[in-house]
Amino acid sequence: MTDTSREYAAALDADDPLASLRDAFVRDDPELIYLDGNSLGRLPKTTAERIASVVRDEWGADLIRSWSHWADVPYRVGDLIGETLLGAAGGQVIVSDSTTVNLYKLAVAALDARRGRNVIVTDDDNFPTDRYVLEGLAAQRGLELRVLHTDIDEGLDLGALREAVGPDTALVSLSHVAYRSGALLDLAAVTEIVHEAGALVLWDLCHSAGSVPVRLDASGADLAVGCTYKYLNGGPGSPAFLYVRKELQDLRQPIWGWFGQRDQFAMGPAYDPAPGIGRFLVGTPPITAIAAVEEGVRLLAEAGIGRLRAKGQALTGYLIDLAAVWLPDLALATPADPKRRGSHVALRHPEAWRMAQAMIADRVIPDYRTPDRLRLGPAPISTSFTEVWDGLDRLRTIVADRAYERFSSEPARVT
Amino acid sequence: MTDTSREYAAALDADDPLASLRDAFVRDDPELIYLDGNSLGRLPKTTAERIASVVRDEWGADLIRSWSHWADVPYRVGDLIGETLLGAAGGQVIVSDSTTVNLYKLAVAALDARRGRNVIVTDDDNFPTDRYVLEGLAAQRGLELRVLHTDIDEGLDLGALREAVGPDTALVSLSHVAYRSGALLDLAAVTEIVHEAGALVLWDLCHSAGSVPVRLDASGADLAVGCTYKYLNGGPGSPAFLYVRKELQDLRQPIWGWFGQRDQFAMGPAYDPAPGIGRFLVGTPPITAIAAVEEGVRLLAEAGIGRLRAKGQALTGYLIDLAAVWLPDLALATPADPKRRGSHVALRHPEAWRMAQAMIADRVIPDYRTPDRLRLGPAPISTSFTEVWDGLDRLRTIVADRAYERFSSEPARVT
């Protein structure tokens, strides 16, 4: 029996060991309920000052001389992400480019390492940019892109994956947590299936990094990429990260740039890739933006990924329980088993688009995902149980009053 | 007869129509002479506040809702750069990724458009990242990279280029202004030679954008890339720009990402590139970083590229004149004709590395470039004639006193 009282939410908050970390984030409008932390994380209070310091003291005052320490920044922040959130020992994660560019770089590296195999495997529930990158590579290289059909409420079926891979498979690329449903894949189990076929696996960690423990090293995963603007709170379009397992760091990525060059300032005549993870850098790293990422990740490190995971499961479980009681017309479109989902929840309804607009008008920020999903992402580090209660409470009023009917229906672009 | 008095420098400053714009930049240490504005431009005073506003008001307060206007930012700032600095009508320039990634994207697009031709032409004085990208593409696609030998003091010889291109040539990629010597190529003349061979030309504008008028449209150039952290004052590792001539916007770049997709949020099953310049975007654009670029470019737009060019020629001419009198042991390694150089000057000396270290210790910031170049870049918008005088005056003392001998010789990495 779900206790739907607001007092119960307050009691959950009182027991929350991460509650005080909510104060580490800017919260201009105390009435705003933010349930889209898995799309763009909140602004940490220290980030504005950190950015100002990099801009004023490092760029403004020290100018070009700052490159003597800036050169380490992509490595240092990569290690911080890897060691605290991804279960990756040092020297395997670096901050660089966008998620999409990193996916491209690592997918090419993997395909080159498996020449003679002509199949790339992914699923139709993978994030669009992942599917497009793989589609492009398959077209450019004359390979087959094998797109598995996935139930978008439940996530990829491992039996179907096992059937789909074989001696023809070069690369399998999947999202660890599905962007719509939040379905969480078993990293080690998938990796084992892929490795049994002799292929390489490339993970998209965008929706898992910072919300679920990733355990890259322990799982045997080969390659991974992820973004820093969701749970890592790095800011809009902040630079992405990539992981290459130590044993695979002799792989070559295709964009040969001066920051991937051994002995960079010799500016020699031929490209000679740096040893280690540095060869996966390309151009000049965005220093101020990476510094902002470091601030966000420090907070997650302070929270601890274990406690973030526990709170994420509790928050999403609570949200699912309230929705079951208050919103019977909205179907759960996320695995009910907390071990099988990340930190966001999808609810299905034909009027999801208009409901999202009505929520925003009522200062509850959800996300909408095609075709008929309300996506609710209460970021564990910055969201309280009371906020989940208030958000769902406002939504149930919107649904009960049919207040969403005064909003326009789905925009033409998503029909 | 060169007037070497400091009073003459002050008189030149008094006549400088851009003098007041120097106050638009942060200048914490009034004694610091900054002659590396072509490596990392100074910090505009408005940039810190603009960044703070984007972070605090757009990210912190409005959160994900800001994407309704953020989506335009790469286009708007691209147009500002194109229209005010590059002679490019709207809809042909966009801010995206790093210079290196953009070079890769456009080089692949060009090579795909010239399938059947198997030669890429560049020169051995091109910037390392350009040479490495092209070397990588040649290796990956089984093409010949034809590397012309260029006199690094004088720049590319157009006769040699004419000899090198022919019906086998797919792509010619060159730097508009050479990174060491500052030698300036004739955009229209080179483009004509390349087009006569039926090839496409891809320009690197890193050292010309913001310092010389580029006239992309008028020259008939096909493709171009450039960085924003030099003369555009965008900050360390700020995002780059790319240009694709309107008539060539049906070209395809190889990294198929969700920001290059038509009808992006339909998240459809297949990649369908956006019409126009938007298809050359890849992943989520770095919003805060692009806003910082906009601040820098606004100042250049206010100055006007014609006045920036005139001042750049005057500053470098003055520097060359003083060096001829005061530093007879340092050879000019830049074209003496002001029409044939950009806004930086190289001086050659076997002890250039140690001289650079001695200058930095004396608060004059030059750059060093292998093998034996002092590179001096007095950015027209932020540098006075008196600063050039002071910088050269300190250098002549260092040389006269052999003060550089107490600094270590070239680091192992550049031997």
Side-chain angles (χ1 to χ4, degrees):
Chain A
M1 187 75 177
T2 303
D3 184 340
T4 59
S5 71
R6 197 166 188 272
E7 290 68 31
Y8 181 64
L12 292 172
D13 285 329
D15 278 346
D16 173 13
L18 300 183
S20 64
L21 277 166
R22 289 183 64 241
D23 294 333
F25 294 86
V26 170
R27 201 174 299 271
D28 283 350
D29 175 359
E31 294 297 306
L32 184 80
I33 306 297
Y34 193 53
L35 300 177
D36 204 13
N38 61 320
S39 194
L40 175 67
R42 278 189 180 274
L43 167 62
K45 285 178 179 168
T46 59
T47 298
E49 182 43 45
R50 175 74 188 281
I51 291 175
S53 165
V54 172
V55 168
R56 187 183 58 223
D57 305 330
E58 301 182 20
W59 172 18
D62 289 343
L63 291 157
I64 195 71
R65 295 170 290 187
S66 291
W67 270 111
S68 62
H69 58 92
W70 283 342
D72 291 334
V73 171
Y75 296 82
R76 182 182 74 219
V77 180
D79 279 344
L80 179 68
I81 294 170
E83 292 171 2
T84 63
L85 303 177
L86 307 184
Q92 301 179 108
V93 177
I94 202 157
V95 178
S96 169
D97 299 308
S98 68
T99 305
T100 310
V101 169
N102 287 336
L103 257 170
Y104 178 88
K105 284 152 54 181
L106 296 192
V108 171
L111 294 172
D112 284 347
R114 289 293 182 276
R115 280 185 190 281
R117 291 170 171 243
N118 65 344
V119 175
I120 304 172
V121 175
T122 189
D123 76 330
D124 61 2
D125 192 37
N126 204 352
F127 190 73
T129 218
D130 303 59
R131 291 186 278 106
Y132 302 155
V133 162
L134 300 173
E135 178 192 354
L137 286 171
Q140 291 151 27
R141 300 170 75 105
L143 305 176
E144 177 195 342
L145 180 62
R146 196 169 286 163
V147 183
L148 303 180
H149 176 62
T150 288
D151 179 316
I152 66 172
D153 296 350
E154 288 295 327
L156 180 74
D157 174 52
L158 294 200
L161 176 65
R162 199 183 304 270
E163 297 273 303
V165 298
D168 59 356
T169 310
L171 173 67
V172 176
S173 187
L174 296 166
S175 286
H176 188 200
V177 167
Y179 79 105
R180 272 184 296 208
S181 66
L184 171 68
L185 286 177
D186 182 330
L187 210 70
V190 169
T191 299
E192 192 182 338
I193 292 169
V194 175
H195 284 178
E196 277 171 10
L200 292 167
V201 65
L202 167 52
W203 287 102
D204 181 336
L205 306 177
C206 285
H207 279 278
S208 60
S211 72
V212 303
V214 178
R215 301 191 184 96
L216 282 171
D217 287 353
S219 72
D222 301 305
L223 307 163
V225 301
C227 88
T228 66
Y229 50 75
K230 298 177 185 289
Y231 294 109
L232 273 55
N233 306 299
S238 55
F241 63 83
L242 63 82
Y243 165 89
V244 179
R245 166 177 295 280
K246 203 76 163 179
E247 294 75 19
L248 295 174
Q249 292 183 359
D250 57 346
L251 292 189
R252 299 282 292 258
Q253 58 89 8
I255 313 177
W256 298 6
W258 72 318
F259 268 78
Q261 169 80 341
R262 189 195 305 264
D263 200 6
Q264 177 184 5
F265 284 94
M267 298 188 160
Y271 184 70
D272 179 15
I277 194 71
R279 66 174 54 189
F280 298 94
L281 288 181
V282 176
T284 310
I287 297 303
T288 313
I290 303 179
V293 172
E294 192 168 32
E295 291 303 306
V297 177
R298 274 186 190 152
L299 290 174
L300 295 169
E302 186 184 334
I305 190 65
R307 294 199 298 181
L308 289 165
R309 174 60 172 154
K311 184 171 175 187
Q313 290 181 310
L315 280 170
T316 50
Y318 183 56
L319 190 159
I320 289 169
D321 288 347
L322 289 178
V325 179
W326 288 348
L327 300 162
D329 293 344
L330 278 72
L332 182 64
T334 289
D337 177 355
K339 293 193 294 296
R340 291 197 51 243
R341 65 174 184 257
S343 279
H344 70 268
V345 172
L347 300 174
R348 197 170 66 232
H349 191 281
E351 295 288 12
W353 167 259
R354 289 159 110 191
M355 288 179 184
Q357 305 316 303
M359 290 171 80
I360 292 167
D362 207 14
R363 283 145 89 200
V364 183
I365 313 290
D367 214 331
Y368 162 82
R369 281 293 172 261
T370 181
D372 57 3
R373 260 73 177 167
L374 266 185
R375 193 179 69 170
L376 307 173
I381 199 168
S382 58
T383 312
S384 67
F385 292 88
T386 304
E387 282 174 302
V388 169
W389 192 95
D390 285 342
L392 273 278
D393 181 53
R394 291 186 211 169
L395 174 57
R396 75 168 159 153
T397 303
I398 286 165
V399 173
D401 299 349
R402 303 179 80 86
Y404 56 85
E405 290 182 352
R406 67 189 173 85
F407 292 87
S408 68
S409 36
E410 270 180 65
R413 63 174 168 78
V414 286
T415 55
Chain B
M1 187 74 179
T2 303
D3 184 341
T4 59
S5 71
R6 197 167 188 271
E7 289 68 31
Y8 182 64
L12 292 172
D13 284 329
D15 278 346
D16 173 12
L18 301 182
S20 65
L21 276 166
R22 289 182 63 241
D23 295 333
F25 293 86
V26 169
R27 201 174 299 271
D28 283 350
D29 175 359
E31 294 297 307
L32 184 79
I33 306 297
Y34 193 54
L35 300 178
D36 203 13
N38 60 322
S39 193
L40 175 66
R42 277 191 181 273
L43 168 62
K45 286 178 180 170
T46 60
T47 297
E49 182 43 43
R50 175 73 188 282
I51 290 176
S53 165
V54 171
V55 168
R56 189 184 55 222
D57 304 330
E58 300 182 21
W59 173 17
D62 289 346
L63 290 156
I64 195 72
R65 294 170 291 187
S66 290
W67 270 111
S68 62
H69 58 92
W70 283 341
D72 292 334
V73 171
Y75 295 82
R76 181 181 76 221
V77 180
D79 278 345
L80 179 67
I81 295 169
E83 292 171 2
T84 63
L85 303 178
L86 307 183
Q92 301 179 107
V93 176
I94 202 157
V95 178
S96 169
D97 299 308
S98 67
T99 304
T100 310
V101 169
N102 287 337
L103 258 170
Y104 178 88
K105 284 151 55 181
L106 296 192
V108 171
L111 294 173
D112 284 347
R114 289 293 182 276
R115 280 185 190 279
R117 291 170 170 245
N118 64 344
V119 175
I120 304 171
V121 175
T122 188
D123 75 330
D124 61 3
D125 192 38
N126 204 352
F127 189 73
T129 219
D130 303 59
R131 292 187 276 105
Y132 302 155
V133 162
L134 300 173
E135 179 192 354
L137 285 171
Q140 291 151 27
R141 300 170 74 107
L143 304 176
E144 177 195 342
L145 180 62
R146 195 169 286 163
V147 182
L148 303 179
H149 176 62
T150 288
D151 179 317
I152 66 173
D153 296 349
E154 288 296 327
L156 180 75
D157 174 51
L158 295 199
L161 176 66
R162 199 184 305 271
E163 296 273 304
V165 298
D168 58 357
T169 310
L171 173 68
V172 176
S173 188
L174 296 165
S175 286
H176 188 200
V177 168
Y179 79 103
R180 273 185 295 208
S181 66
L184 170 68
L185 286 177
D186 183 330
L187 210 70
V190 169
T191 298
E192 192 182 339
I193 293 168
V194 175
H195 284 179
E196 277 172 9
L200 292 168
V201 65
L202 167 53
W203 287 102
D204 181 337
L205 306 177
C206 284
H207 280 278
S208 60
S211 72
V212 303
V214 179
R215 300 191 185 96
L216 283 171
D217 287 355
S219 71
D222 301 304
L223 307 163
V225 301
C227 87
T228 66
Y229 51 76
K230 298 176 185 290
Y231 293 109
L232 274 55
N233 306 299
S238 55
F241 63 82
L242 63 82
Y243 165 89
V244 179
R245 166 178 295 281
K246 204 77 165 177
E247 295 74 18
L248 295 174
Q249 291 182 359
D250 58 345
L251 293 188
R252 298 282 293 258
Q253 58 89 6
I255 313 178
W256 296 6
W258 73 316
F259 268 77
Q261 169 80 341
R262 188 195 305 264
D263 200 4
Q264 178 183 4
F265 285 93
M267 297 188 160
Y271 185 70
D272 179 17
I277 194 71
R279 66 174 55 189
F280 298 94
L281 288 181
V282 176
T284 309
I287 297 303
T288 313
I290 303 178
V293 171
E294 192 168 32
E295 291 304 306
V297 177
R298 273 185 190 151
L299 289 174
L300 295 169
E302 186 182 335
I305 191 65
R307 294 199 298 182
L308 289 165
R309 174 60 171 152
K311 184 172 174 188
Q313 291 180 310
L315 280 170
T316 51
Y318 182 57
L319 190 159
I320 289 168
D321 288 347
L322 288 178
V325 179
W326 287 349
L327 299 163
D329 293 343
L330 278 71
L332 182 64
T334 288
D337 178 354
K339 292 193 296 295
R340 292 196 50 243
R341 64 173 185 257
S343 278
H344 69 267
V345 172
L347 300 174
R348 197 171 64 232
H349 191 281
E351 294 287 14
W353 167 259
R354 293 211 273 182
M355 289 178 183
Q357 304 317 303
M359 290 171 79
I360 292 167
D362 207 16
R363 282 143 90 201
V364 183
I365 313 289
D367 213 333
Y368 162 82
R369 280 294 173 258
T370 181
D372 57 2
R373 260 70 178 168
L374 266 186
R375 192 179 69 170
L376 306 173
I381 199 167
S382 58
T383 311
S384 68
F385 291 88
T386 305
E387 283 175 302
V388 169
W389 193 96
D390 286 342
L392 274 276
D393 180 54
R394 291 186 212 169
L395 174 56
R396 75 168 158 152
T397 304
I398 287 165
V399 172
D401 299 349
R402 305 178 79 86
Y404 56 86
E405 289 181 352
R406 67 188 173 87
F407 291 87
S408 68
S409 33
E410 271 179 66
R413 63 175 169 77
V414 285
T415 54

